[in-house]
Amino acid sequence: MEDFFKKVFEELKGSKKILTAVLTDIESEEISQSLLGEMFLFDEEGIIEFSSEQLENELEKFFLNQDLKNKVLSLGESKNTDSQLKEINLDQDNKLEIFLEPVVDQPHLTVFGAGHIAEPLVKICSLMDFNITVIDDREEFLNYDKFPTADQLLLIPYIDYFNNLIINENDYLVIVTRGHQHDYQVLKNVINSEAAYIGMIGSSRKIKTVYDQLRDDGISEEKLSEVHSPIGLDIGSETPAEIAVAIAAELIAVRRDK
């Protein structure tokens, strides 16, 4: 069972929506009642893992039936993230009742910089189901009075944040620091990551300066083109709050693949 939950963790690191199914009732002469409480794990691609070798041995032959496999996979197609009790007819003589539990990794937003745009951005994104971290090296800017809805505030030099850091496909990175050297430092450390979104604020002049430095470091044009800079959707925003709305809208568009 320990290996099973390690598998769940590994799949979540890949930012997948996965489902766990707990056996709550078994009507069968072929499947042991001792398997009640056992689990299997699946996503849209198929069965990923069984919680025990016995469960795998007793269920595997049924899942060789493509129609049954499709029926099980269809349980994961709903956008409903609530737990559900479902029945599965393996064949005319064997039936399972399962407790279906979607497991969805929460997207993580990291905001580099605690200035005047970060404050409204964090407030807006806290309504969007993001886990939010704000990073800055200035104590007077970084506090929970300014960021009451942030999940984590890190008062450290930006470069120290990248020690032993792993950036995953469910990470969204917003770079709104106070100067192009900090922007360059942060972007250099994240541009080759698997992050779902990397955005950097700045005028065309500042963006060119940062990009030229990165080109000198050997960063490819392909990687530079993947950065959202200027940051945010073009909605004619001018005030910090309006710019925050434009950034949040772009985060939504990327997250929903629009």
Side-chain angles (χ1 to χ4, degrees), residues 8-110:
V8 173
F9 178 74
E10 287 301 316
E11 292 300 322
L12 282 177
K13 284 170 64 177
S15 306
K16 294 180 179 179
K17 176 185 176 182
I18 60 176
L19 297 97
T20 56
V22 183
L23 289 183
T24 53
D25 192 27
I26 299 171
E27 295 183 19
S28 171
E29 294 185 359
E30 300 178 49
I31 302 172
S32 172
Q33 292 292 319
S34 67
L35 292 174
L36 284 174
E38 293 277 1
M39 307 169 69
F40 59 88
L41 172 75
F42 64 97
D43 65 9
E44 68 278 3
E45 296 176 355
I47 302 300
I48 298 173
E49 193 69 64
F50 294 91
S51 60
S52 72
E53 186 175 338
Q54 181 186 357
L55 180 66
E56 182 174 3
N57 290 338
E58 296 198 27
L59 290 188
E60 189 173 34
K61 64 179 181 180
F62 294 106
F63 288 110
L64 294 176
N65 181 318
Q66 190 60 46
D67 289 340
L68 174 62
K69 183 178 179 180
N70 291 339
K71 185 188 300 183
V72 173
L73 296 183
S74 69
L75 299 175
E77 293 176 356
S78 170
K79 295 185 181 298
N80 188 354
T81 57
D82 295 332
S83 303
Q84 303 174 63
L85 203 61
K86 295 285 188 179
E87 287 188 349
I88 298 177
N89 292 311
L90 301 177
D91 57 27
Q92 61 182 8
D93 299 318
N94 299 279
K95 182 169 71 175
L96 302 179
E97 180 186 75
I98 63 172
F99 183 72
L100 196 67
E101 180 78 20
V103 186
V104 183
D105 192 16
Q106 187 178 22
H108 182 219
L109 171 65
T110 303

Side-chain angles (χ1 to χ4, degrees), residues 133-258:
T133 297
V134 185
I135 302 168
D136 205 298
D137 57 1
R138 299 168 294 174
E139 187 172 3
E140 67 272 21
F141 282 85
L142 195 67
N143 57 73
Y144 282 103
D145 290 333
K146 282 188 65 178
F147 299 100
T149 58
D151 296 283
Q152 184 180 36
L153 302 181
L154 295 179
L155 182 65
I156 55 174
Y158 296 116
I159 193 64
D160 290 350
Y161 179 70
F162 301 105
N163 295 333
N164 303 315
L165 176 69
I166 297 176
I167 299 174
N168 297 311
E169 295 176 358
N170 218 19
D171 280 300
Y172 294 72
L173 312 177
V174 171
I175 305 170
V176 284
T177 75
R178 64 184 181 277
H180 78 267
Q181 276 305 113
H182 292 296
D183 292 338
Y184 160 73
Q185 186 180 74
V186 173
L187 188 54
K188 180 181 178 180
N189 279 276
V190 303
I191 195 167
N192 288 314
S193 73
E194 298 299 317
Y197 175 94
I198 301 173
M200 184 183 73
I201 201 166
S203 64
S204 57
R205 180 179 178 182
K206 188 183 85 166
I207 292 167
K208 182 180 185 305
T209 298
V210 171
Y211 279 22
D212 284 345
Q213 287 181 281
L214 292 172
R215 290 185 181 100
D216 290 341
D217 292 331
I219 301 299
S220 69
E221 293 298 325
E222 180 183 3
K223 281 296 182 180
L224 291 172
S225 69
E226 292 172 359
V227 179
H228 297 265
S229 190
I231 198 170
L233 297 186
D234 185 4
I235 58 174
S237 53
E238 295 182 1
T239 69
E242 290 171 349
I243 294 170
V245 169
I247 296 171
E250 190 168 63
L251 292 173
I252 294 171
V254 171
R255 184 178 176 188
R256 303 307 181 194
D257 196 25
K258 299 295 184 181

